[in-house]
Amino acid sequence: MKKNITCLLLVTIIISIFCLSITVSCSQTINVKNYIKDKFPPIFSFYLSSLQGLDSYEKEFIDLLQKLLKEEQEYYAKEIYKNGFSPELLKNIKEGKTFTTEELFEQGNKEKKDSDYAYEAYNQAQIFIDKKEYKKALPYLEIAIKTDISSLKARAYFNIGFCHDKLKIYSKAIEAYLQVLHIYPDYAIAYCNLGFAYDQLGFHEDAREAYIQAIRINPDYAEAHYYLGLDYIIFGFRIFAIEAYKQAIRIDPDYTEAHYSLGVAYLLIRDRDSAVNEYRILKELDIDLANKLFDLIY
């Protein structure tokens, strides 16, 4: 009987020790997202967050990873994302194993192409764009443009331009849209957005040419006709502006800004009756713009 009690007590002690070891081990796990925050470029953090949690060995790995060159950080981050943490990775870093750019590229493509990561970066950027978090989207788009896939590169550059538009950094937007057009010369939306960015910086002649190119590619591009009309007003070409606004309205009869601008253009050439007609149309579409035009007429 005593022997059985002794055995039972021994088993209880062993179980207690085992449970304690589990508790200690769990208490040493660190939240990976909190630990790596602001320590690596966004896409590397995206790869490394697949660790979920950090034990002491993984923490050591992350600490050493911070000291490496960007290219090596990228290689190891991708390895973590593809295959998870391994003692070999920690050993390589501890031993100071380094790689040339060519070696990193070759190793990174053994199991997964870089294009896959470019798509992942682009999709992550799109999430931030949908949330209107344009600054957060830009680092991922900078990764996506490194791809050799023309369609993906063009979309990434276009979104870079779009983000810079929203952030009012128009010089950067122009650079991005020009890159898009270098890849796809017949991208009408990129021309129209390029024109808008030029206008914001006062380069109205460049803007006019961009809108004309957009219309050449897509004659039924209402916004391009409208913005072209605005530039014609700036240049004093009022008859050309009226024709541009009419084209925008032909394509989109409910284009309220075009109706308003057309009414203003009519007033500039002293055609009050035509301006009044635009006011009447606007009353059914946008009462605020209609009242604004009314004040100019009367």
Side-chain angles (χ1 to χ4, degrees):
M1 182 66 176
K2 286 184 178 181
K3 185 176 181 180
N4 290 339
I5 292 172
T6 302
C7 290
L8 181 60
L9 182 60
L10 182 60
V11 170
T12 303
I13 292 171
I14 292 171
I15 292 173
S16 298
I17 292 172
F18 178 71
C19 291
L20 179 61
S21 68
I22 291 176
T23 303
V24 171
S25 176
C26 290
S27 68
Q28 291 175 343
T29 301
I30 301 170
N31 181 284
V32 64
K33 289 186 178 179
N34 291 338
Y35 193 74
I36 66 177
K37 185 178 180 182
D38 300 326
K39 293 181 179 179
F40 301 96
I43 192 62
F44 301 168
S45 297
F46 175 66
Y47 297 148
L48 293 169
S49 63
S50 63
L51 288 169
Q52 301 300 324
L54 298 175
D55 60 23
S56 59
Y57 295 106
E58 291 166 335
K59 178 180 176 296
E60 183 181 6
F61 173 82
I62 294 297
D63 291 340
L64 292 171
L65 187 64
Q66 283 183 262
K67 302 174 183 178
L68 299 183
L69 297 174
K70 183 179 178 181
E71 290 80 7
E72 293 179 295
Q73 287 181 341
E74 181 176 9
Y75 167 72
Y76 283 115
K78 286 182 178 181
E79 281 296 303
I80 289 290
Y81 185 80
K82 290 187 293 184
N83 304 313
F85 176 77
S86 68
E88 286 75 21
L89 287 177
L90 179 58
K91 181 182 177 184
N92 287 342
I93 289 183
K94 280 185 173 181
E95 293 178 351
K97 185 175 181 181
T98 58
F99 303 88
T100 65
T101 302
E102 291 76 16
E103 288 173 333
L104 290 172
F105 180 81
E106 290 174 1
Q107 293 188 48
N109 279 278
K110 284 181 179 176
E111 297 180 14
K112 194 172 188 180
K113 295 179 181 178
D114 275 354
S115 61
D116 295 328
Y117 296 105
Y119 275 112
E120 288 170 8
Y122 178 84
N123 291 335
Q124 184 64 36
Q126 194 62 56
I127 292 171
F128 285 123
I129 291 172
D130 292 342
K131 294 179 180 178
K132 299 182 179 180
E133 297 178 353
Y134 305 114
K135 284 186 178 179
K136 292 183 179 180
L138 285 169
Y140 292 97
L141 292 169
E142 292 292 341
I143 292 164
I145 61 175
K146 295 178 181 178
T147 181
D148 291 329
I149 301 172
S150 296
S151 58
L152 178 58
K153 186 188 287 285
R155 278 185 287 158
Y157 270 120
F158 182 87
N159 278 343
I160 288 174
F162 177 80
C163 288
H164 283 307
D165 266 342
K166 293 298 184 181
L167 295 170
K168 301 185 186 304
I169 309 174
Y170 299 112
S171 59
K172 292 288 187 181
I174 289 169
E175 290 176 9
Y177 291 134
L178 288 174
Q179 288 293 336
V180 176
L181 293 167
H182 179 72
I183 300 168
Y184 289 133
D186 290 335
Y187 199 166
I189 298 175
Y191 269 117
C192 191
N193 286 14
L194 175 64
F196 178 82
Y198 275 137
D199 269 333
Q200 301 311 302
L201 294 180
F203 302 141
H204 301 300
E205 183 61 40
D206 292 322
R208 184 177 72 91
E209 290 299 323
Y211 297 135
I212 289 172
Q213 288 299 323
I215 293 167
R216 175 187 63 79
I217 296 164
N218 180 7
D220 289 335
Y221 197 164
E223 287 81 4
H225 285 287
Y226 171 71
Y227 287 120
L228 178 60
L230 295 180
D231 275 328
Y232 278 138
I233 289 293
I234 292 171
F235 295 135
F237 302 152
R238 296 164 184 174
I239 299 301
F240 288 166
I242 288 171
E243 182 57 31
Y245 296 142
K246 283 182 176 180
Q247 288 297 321
I249 292 167
R250 173 187 63 80
I251 299 161
D252 182 1
D254 294 337
Y255 200 154
T256 55
E257 292 86 354
H259 281 291
Y260 172 80
S261 296
L262 179 57
V264 172
Y266 279 134
L267 289 175
L268 290 174
I269 64 169
R270 291 181 165 78
D271 186 350
R272 185 171 177 275
D273 290 341
S274 295
V276 170
N277 187 55
E278 292 306 313
Y279 161 71
R280 290 171 179 157
I281 295 171
L282 269 176
K283 280 177 65 178
E284 304 299 322
L285 299 175
D286 188 323
I287 192 61
D288 291 333
L289 276 181
N291 289 336
K292 190 176 177 181
L293 182 59
F294 180 88
D295 292 339
L296 293 176
I297 296 171
Y298 298 100

